[in-house]
């Protein structure tokens, strides 16, 4: 991809989405408040978080941003599953700092299966009139 402002927005959006996952699993807002209040023991005892490696990341909407989130998830050792109305299979390529790359082939799953299997879910779909996840 060329580094146009549009492509930079895709990278920024995917990095922001993943930073929210990291913030939640590492309890960063709570740990930050405790650190600022000099409550070191509280930080040490209560905010260890969970490991992402081996967890399932479900991505709803597997367009450009969803695929970039998948690359980050794969990079930290997560199992990535996705649901998309238009993509049933996807091949994503991760480029590394040494100019090597690795391709990953992913098959979509059903929405219900994604909800059952995912430890974390990231939504990357256009704004909807109806809720995607909620009471039905």
């Amino acid at each position: 991809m060329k580094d146009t402002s549009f492509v930079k927005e895709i990278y920024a959006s995917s990095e922001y989405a993943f930073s929210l996952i990291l913030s939640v699993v590492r309890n960063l807002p709570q740990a930050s408040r405790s650190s600022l209040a000099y409550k070191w023991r509280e930080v040490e005892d209560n905010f260890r978080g969970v490991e992402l490696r081996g967890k399932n990341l479900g991505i709803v909407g597997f367009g450009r941003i969803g695929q970039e989130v998948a690359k980050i998830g794969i990079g930290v050792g997560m199992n990535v599953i996705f649901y998309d109305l238009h993509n049933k299979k996807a091949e994503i390529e991760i480029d590394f700092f040494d100019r090597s790359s690795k391709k990953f082939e992913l098959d979509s799953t059903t929405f219900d299966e994604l909800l059952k299997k995912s430890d974390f879910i990231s939504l990357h779909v256009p704004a909807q009139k109806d809720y995607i996840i909620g009471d039905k």
Side-chain angles (χ1 to χ4, degrees), residues 44-101:
E44 187 177 299
D45 293 341
N46 298 322
F47 301 119
R48 293 184 197 277
V50 297
E51 298 289 327
L52 292 178
R53 181 176 306 280
K55 297 290 192 292
N56 294 325
L57 172 61
I59 300 174
V60 178
F62 211 63
R64 289 179 284 236
I65 295 172
Q67 290 179 28
E68 289 299 319
V69 171
K71 290 177 185 181
I72 298 169
I74 290 169
V76 298
M78 297 183 83
N79 305 309
V80 174
I81 56 177
F82 77 93
Y83 169 77
D84 189 279
L85 291 175
H86 308 291
N87 296 325
K88 299 303 174 201
K89 290 184 176 281
E91 181 178 276
I92 59 174
E93 185 171 0
I94 300 178
D95 299 317
F96 297 98
F97 67 93
D98 64 354
R99 297 200 172 139
S100 67
S101 63

Side-chain angles (χ1 to χ4, degrees), residues 56-59 81 113-121:
N56 294 325
L57 172 61
I59 300 174
I81 56 177
E113 197 66 23
L114 181 137
L115 293 176
K116 288 177 192 173
K117 289 184 176 180
S118 297
D119 297 302
F120 303 93
I121 298 173

